[in-house]
Amino acid sequence: ETGVTQTPRHLVMGMTNKKSLKCEQHLGHNAMYWYKQSAKKPLELMFVYSLEERVENNSVPSRFSPECPNSSHLFLHLHTLQPEDSALYLCASSQDIGEETQYFGPGTRLLVL
Amino acid sequence: GQNIDQPTEMTATEGAIVQINCTYQTSGFNGLFWYQQHAGEAPTFLSYNVLDGLEEKGRFSSFLSRSKGYSYLLLKELQMKDSASYLCAVKSDTGGFKTIFGAGTRLFVKA
């Protein structure tokens, strides 16, 4: 248990569906992150939030839409995804931006059909 | 550009020592991490090096040479539970905050 939870753990969706991934951290951290992990590829940083403000958006397609309503919760809204978006989506948090240690959630394994 | 290289897979024997290497080319280097990730689980923090030298933490040690763009993770007295992927990641302060991950080294520990 790292203090970061994600739901759902597994998700199968069609290309026309809309779904949301949820992340919650119980550590009192100020920074939260979304990463994408595809098979045999490096972790890709998607979005970074600091104190509920987005500070990084790594050229992610608009079919991925993040939302950070408060410093404990982070969502990733998904719509009209492609099969190549199938991957493990990991949420992480750290005390502040630039803090050396990030704590990862267990991830949501997403399959797009 | 930013690039991190580490071997794809390694195999070692229980009780032995294994060294996992990582080389990187990044601008604005601001520290290097090692994370452990068991299959189907979240990455967990192992070490962080920002200065040259060896940092020891129990059975795990991490080394950094900034001038050579090189790091290694040393695992001693290997146990079966050490079978996992080991991710090398570099923190860069160029162009905003970024942590860049390598593809990971999958370590298999055999009896």
Side-chain angles (χ1 to χ4, degrees):
Chain A
E1 274 295 324
T2 62
V4 182
T5 58
Q6 288 186 244
T7 54
R9 293 292 308 275
H10 302 273
L11 179 62
V12 180
M13 59 188 288
M15 289 189 283
T16 57
N17 292 157
K18 288 185 181 181
K19 296 285 184 184
S20 294
L21 310 185
K22 180 182 174 183
C23 175
E24 184 174 358
Q25 56 98 358
H26 312 275
L27 302 168
H29 289 169
N30 295 319
M32 296 186 77
Y33 313 79
W34 277 118
Y35 286 89
K36 176 184 178 183
Q37 188 174 36
S38 303
K40 300 185 179 180
K41 288 186 178 180
L43 274 170
E44 299 171 49
L45 181 63
M46 300 174 73
F47 302 104
V48 182
Y49 276 82
S50 175
L51 295 170
E52 302 142 47
E53 285 195 29
R54 191 190 310 179
V55 298
E56 187 85 19
N57 177 350
N58 276 0
S59 304
V60 179
S62 59
R63 58 186 184 268
F64 295 91
S65 173
E67 179 191 359
C68 188
N70 55 62
S71 59
S72 298
H73 293 86
L74 186 65
F75 293 90
L76 188 63
H77 303 299
L78 317 171
H79 63 100
T80 59
L81 294 192
Q82 305 297 311
E84 59 264 28
D85 296 323
S86 299
L88 181 68
Y89 288 85
L90 289 161
C91 173
S93 72
S94 63
Q95 184 61 56
D96 293 295
I97 287 284
E99 186 73 13
E100 52 262 27
T101 306
Q102 292 183 23
Y103 295 82
F104 284 83
T108 295
R109 186 158 297 282
L110 173 67
L111 177 62
V112 181
L113 300 176
Chain B
Q2 318 270 35
N3 193 45
I4 298 177
D5 289 310
Q6 48 182 134
T8 305
E9 287 184 0
M10 299 182 71
T11 301
T13 305
E14 196 176 14
I17 299 174
V18 70
Q19 177 174 312
I20 303 174
N21 296 325
C22 172
T23 58
Y24 62 89
Q25 298 90 40
T26 60
S27 53
F29 177 85
N30 201 16
L32 186 142
F33 304 87
W34 284 97
Y35 283 85
Q36 180 191 58
Q37 186 177 23
H38 285 99
E41 296 182 15
T44 54
F45 172 82
L46 287 178
S47 65
Y48 175 65
N49 295 64
V50 64
L51 300 176
D52 286 357
L54 186 68
E55 299 260 352
E56 297 188 68
K57 196 184 290 186
R59 294 190 298 114
F60 292 7
S61 303
S62 56
F63 172 84
L64 176 67
S65 168
R66 294 177 66 139
S67 61
K68 294 181 180 178
Y70 168 68
S71 172
Y72 66 73
L73 181 69
L74 192 71
L75 292 77
K76 302 177 186 175
E77 301 169 15
L78 278 175
Q79 302 175 9
M80 300 297 284
K81 67 178 182 180
D82 297 328
S83 295
S85 286
Y86 292 85
L87 312 179
C88 173
V90 170
K91 189 164 76 169
S92 167
D93 60 9
T94 298
F97 168 81
K98 274 191 194 322
T99 297
I100 304 147
F101 282 80
T105 298
R106 191 177 297 182
L107 174 67
F108 298 94
V109 179
K110 58 182 183 179

